[in-house]
Amino acid sequence: MADPTAGPLAGVTVVALEQAVSAPMCTRALADFGARVIKIENPRGGDFARDYDDVVNGLAAHFVWVNRGKESVTLDLKDPQGQAVLHRLLESADVFVSNLTPGATGALGLAADDLAVRHPDLIAMEIDGYGPGGPLSDKRAYDLLIQAESGVCAVTGFPNAPAKPGPPIADVCSGLYAALTIVAMICGRRAPGGPAAKPTAASVSLFDTAAELMGYALNYTRHTGIDQQPLGMSSPAVAPYGAYPTGDGHTVVLGTTNNREWQRLARDILDRPDLADDPRFTTNAGRVRHRGELDATIAQWCARHDLATVQLCADAAGIGNARYNTPADVIDHPHLAARRRWRPIDTPAGPVPALLPPPVIAGYDPPMGAIPALGQHTETVLAAAGFSSDDIARLRDRGAIGPGADQPVIRT
């Protein structure tokens, strides 16, 4: 029987110089697939996402979200001996992931070109804001800034009231693109008959990722000259498609994506064959032009029925539908509960629930490893890398590594 704990990336070691969301999401995805992830943190506080808030039993919600299954090692990379320790760890690593501020990896001698000389077999993935070679390359980049710069906010919210999508989609999608790239590069190395020269350097920028997510909007505007206006809980591409209050105080989301669905909505749910036969509504383009009239008609019908009735009718007619839920609703969502998607993970503050990763691999149980305390694994990782207890004590005395697990952290 296959080992359910041996993931597809078992045996792969990742060293990460990471912070916030994008790179931590990348390495968490790799850890979920079985890779070993060693997270390098500043001894004086570590990843700044540790201090965003303290709502998870004293830990930060962002940090708990994207840092399970990692080993935390504290190194002062401004100290030459701290850098030497990092390079010792990189000697036995397969992948190096970073997302520091512009120019920081170069200043530390950890740019892709530097690593290619010193660690020629290492895959180096750098996640940055704007990518090199452009007028914005040296700017700081945070998720909101990238979403604003790439036009994402302009297609979210309502006309004259733009909004940032709630989840940090530029960060998250960049991290996932980076993880996908790393997996592709690993596969390329393992595949027989591939090119003799295997690439070792790769990068993903948040701006390029956000621009990719804007693909539909950019294509539409390029070929029409029109900037589509945001429609809240709807889509400028199709109609009818939106959110409608029900008679019992809930909100239902109904969507049609083709003419057949529209015909079923009009005839089988609304009981309006006149709308189904109206030439203004026979094509999606026509329905988009007359969206307001259709939305008003659907809203009137939904207001006369409770949510359960609306969804029952929609399911019977083969019309996509959903209930508008809040985060509190999703925590207790019966679909997540029935499929056991919540699992406990260990943290320095005790067990907390976490969602399983989205990929489901037959015969493999994701490890759902613990959230590391700052520097929790420094001694064990260094000892495994060949450092003696005296070496570790000397490094600690000079501040090249952080305090022991039982010593207080000095934040600066």
Side-chain angles (χ1 to χ4, degrees), residues 5 100 114 117 167 185 188 198-199 207 241 251 267 307 319 337 375 400:
T5 65
L100 305 185
D114 301 316
V117 173
M185 295 173 76
K198 306 291 187 182
F207 184 73
Y241 191 85
T251 298
R267 297 180 190 277
L307 175 68
I319 299 300

Side-chain angles (χ1 to χ4, degrees), residues 80-98:
Q81 292 197 25
Q83 290 190 26
V85 173
L86 174 61
H87 283 290
R88 176 87 72 90
L89 298 180
L90 292 177
E91 288 174 2
S92 57
D94 302 285
V95 181
F96 175 65
V97 177
S98 64

Side-chain angles (χ1 to χ4, degrees), residues 223-258:
H223 296 286
T224 66
I226 298 170
D227 281 328
Q228 291 177 311
Q229 295 301 299
L231 296 172
M233 286 189 63
S234 186
S235 167
V238 292
Y241 191 85
Y244 309 95
T246 61
D248 57 348
H250 294 289
T251 298
V252 67
V253 180
L254 297 173
T256 61
T257 59
N258 57 60

